[in-house]
Amino acid sequence: QALWHPPPLPIAARGWGGPGRRALLRVDVGGAMISQFYILSLRGDTIITRDFRGDVVKGTAEIFFRKVKFWHGDAPPIFNLDGVSYIFIKKNGLYFVATTGHNVSPVAVVEMLSKMAKVFKDFCGVLNEESIRKNFVLVYELLDEMVDFGHPQTTNTEHLKSCIHNEAVVIETPKTGLNLPQWNPRTVPSNAVHRPVGPTSNDSRNKKNEIFVDILERITVLMSANGFVVNSAIDGSIQMKSYLVGNPELKLALNEDIQIKNQNLGGMHGSYGAVVLDDCNFHECVDLEDFSELRTLSFYPPDGEFAVMNYRITGDFRVPFRINPFVEQQTPHKIEITIKVRADIPEQNYGGNVQVSCMLPKGTATVSNELGAATGQSAEYLSGEHKLVWNIKKFQGATEAVLKSRVTLSSPISNSSNIRKEVGPVSLTFEIPMYNVSNLQVRYLRISERHKTYNPCRWVRYVTQSSSYVCRF
């Protein structure tokens, strides 16, 4: 039986050959890419499956899930079993998996899976199990356009919009547990950005002409027991999602005092309090002509969600939370652990869903926790993981929280110096809305050619999240 094979040379772009345009059809000539693709839930249910080449045995989804579930620790993103390579990413409680029997570039496949997940999110609005199940016809249509006979064709949302004809079923996103005051007219809830970019089943409602900008920063901090910061870094990204009609040119202005190390991109030098970036990169649609002088980015926003700019900062900055842990041995069978956390952020800001975790000795028998009079807090000991977990739903800025834990041990610790080896470290996870550590600010977001009749809504949001926030005992 004859099979269709890609031609030996890349196919030229059809109608997309202008300067600055990327080829609509890209064919990898370095041999076969993936053989199978599937999306699995955390329970191992196969939600989406597609066999592109028929050269890998059936039932690999079950083999993959069994191997990952019983892997000692976290499974690596690529592994080989019986001559079949399994490459996967995990996003929003879903496994995106590709299998192949060929010698392919793992990084290329991981990148392709990440781009495919982004496309599914763009067209479904939300990326979760419910949205994939309810939009399975749309997902299969997208899959057939993005991958042909195992070869990636395009993962560009803008190009795919012209090929996709199924409507998305809009999924209502779950409400967060925080009782926030009623939104004022100058704010919108964060789930407003979870609209599909393509047509939807309830398109009868007026579509708003708006654009969303997120300044998202993930911070990594390592502290010593006395609160001294040993190591710190910020990984930042300016994310954008456009629902604008007509694709106008936009101008995004940032702080004028931004300095970028080792890059010839101008800027003010030596000013006090300047935002110093170690490194940065920009989306391919961004024009940097005015960036050196005015710190302004010009671009025509593509459809869907995209990162306008990624940046990294490793200089000193004010950490949002200070942790002071203390451990004391009262008797050979009893120790007392005190963890004090201070929010070093402005009073009007808060940390949401803060979780403090601390490893306890393996010989821990019982744990009693004392939280004081604070509300919205809970603490529990997870015996299976030997971990103490302290949850704070809303941690107001410029306040302190203290947890005292009295630990009873099943076997005594003879030497008090061994306690510190058995306890800790303390790690913190959190999210701080409308606050960023680096002080990178969006001065304005404008449309280049302004018309009286064309005045879209522009929404800007700042979010700081923890990446790895650890304090040693």
Side-chain angles (χ1 to χ4, degrees), residues 175-224:
K175 290 183 171 64
T176 58
L178 295 173
N179 295 320
L180 298 175
Q182 189 65 35
W183 299 104
N184 68 54
R186 294 181 64 82
T187 63
V188 289
S190 59
N191 61 6
V193 77
H194 295 155
R195 294 208 316 268
V197 295
T200 59
S201 51
N202 54 358
D203 260 355
S204 54
R205 295 184 298 180
N206 267 337
K207 276 193 172 181
K208 287 186 179 178
N209 201 20
E210 52 194 359
I211 187 160
F212 295 87
V213 182
D214 280 357
I215 293 85
L216 177 64
E217 293 187 345
R218 294 181 176 88
I219 62 176
T220 302
V221 172
L222 175 62
M223 289 183 190
S224 61

Side-chain angles (χ1 to χ4, degrees), residues 6 32 38 82 110 120 123 158 213 222 224-225 232 247 290 298 304 309 325 330 364 394 404 456 468:
Y38 35 82
D82 302 324
V110 168
F120 295 145
F123 279 88
E158 204 168 352
V213 182
L222 175 62
S224 61
S232 59
N247 198 24
D290 297 330
S298 304
M309 173 184 175
Q330 296 176 329
T364 298
K394 189 173 180 180
K404 280 189 178 181
S468 171

Side-chain angles (χ1 to χ4, degrees), residues 253-258 275 294-295 438-443:
L254 305 174
N255 314 41
E256 291 181 337
D257 60 353
I258 289 177
V275 179
L294 304 173
R295 290 297 186 238
S438 68
N439 292 322
L440 185 85
Q441 302 286 326
V442 172
R443 284 189 289 130

Side-chain angles (χ1 to χ4, degrees), residues 23-168:
L24 176 60
L25 191 59
R26 295 178 298 171
V27 179
D28 179 22
V29 296
M33 282 294 280
I34 65 172
S35 299
Q36 299 165 329
F37 169 83
Y38 35 82
I39 302 175
L40 302 181
S41 71
L42 291 178
R43 300 180 304 278
D45 301 332
T46 305
I47 305 168
I48 300 291
T49 179
R50 175 70 87 221
D51 193 336
F52 295 107
R53 305 179 66 86
D55 57 357
V56 169
V57 294
K58 305 294 181 186
T60 50
E62 190 178 336
I63 296 168
F64 163 82
F65 183 73
R66 199 183 309 122
K67 190 71 178 173
V68 168
K69 187 176 176 64
F70 296 106
W71 199 287
H72 186 67
D74 291 331
I78 175 169
F79 55 88
N80 192 287
L81 280 176
D82 302 324
V84 177
S85 295
Y86 295 82
I87 305 167
F88 77 98
I89 61 169
K90 188 178 173 185
K91 274 183 183 289
N92 296 24
L94 296 169
Y95 292 105
F96 296 82
V97 191
T99 67
T100 179
H102 300 265
N103 185 18
V104 300
S105 165
V107 177
V109 179
V110 168
E111 177 72 6
M112 186 183 80
L113 292 173
S114 301
K115 291 285 180 69
M116 289 168 78
K118 176 191 168 296
V119 168
F120 295 145
K121 184 184 178 193
D122 284 343
F123 279 88
C124 297
V126 187
L127 187 65
N128 58 29
E129 185 178 342
E130 185 189 4
S131 70
I132 296 293
R133 286 189 185 277
K134 289 191 175 178
N135 290 290
F136 74 97
V137 177
L138 172 63
V139 171
Y140 274 115
E141 189 181 13
L142 285 165
L143 200 52
D144 290 339
E145 294 293 343
M146 288 190 286
V147 184
D148 193 354
F149 198 60
H151 293 265
Q153 303 299 303
T154 181
T155 52
N156 187 314
T157 303
E158 204 168 352
H159 294 165
L160 287 165
K161 267 184 83 174
S162 60
C163 315
I164 301 301
H165 304 289
N166 279 291
E167 294 180 343

Side-chain angles (χ1 to χ4, degrees), residues 235-281:
D235 285 304
S237 181
I238 301 177
Q239 301 273 352
M240 191 170 280
K241 193 164 187 178
S242 171
Y243 296 100
L244 297 179
V245 179
N247 198 24
E249 185 185 13
L250 301 179
K251 287 189 178 294
L252 180 76
L254 305 174
N255 314 41
E256 291 181 337
D257 60 353
I258 289 177
Q259 297 174 26
I260 303 166
K261 295 179 183 177
N262 307 321
Q263 289 196 29
N264 188 22
L265 288 171
M268 300 162 67
H269 296 285
S271 57
Y272 177 75
V275 179
V276 181
L277 310 182
D278 285 59
D279 192 21
C280 67
N281 59 48

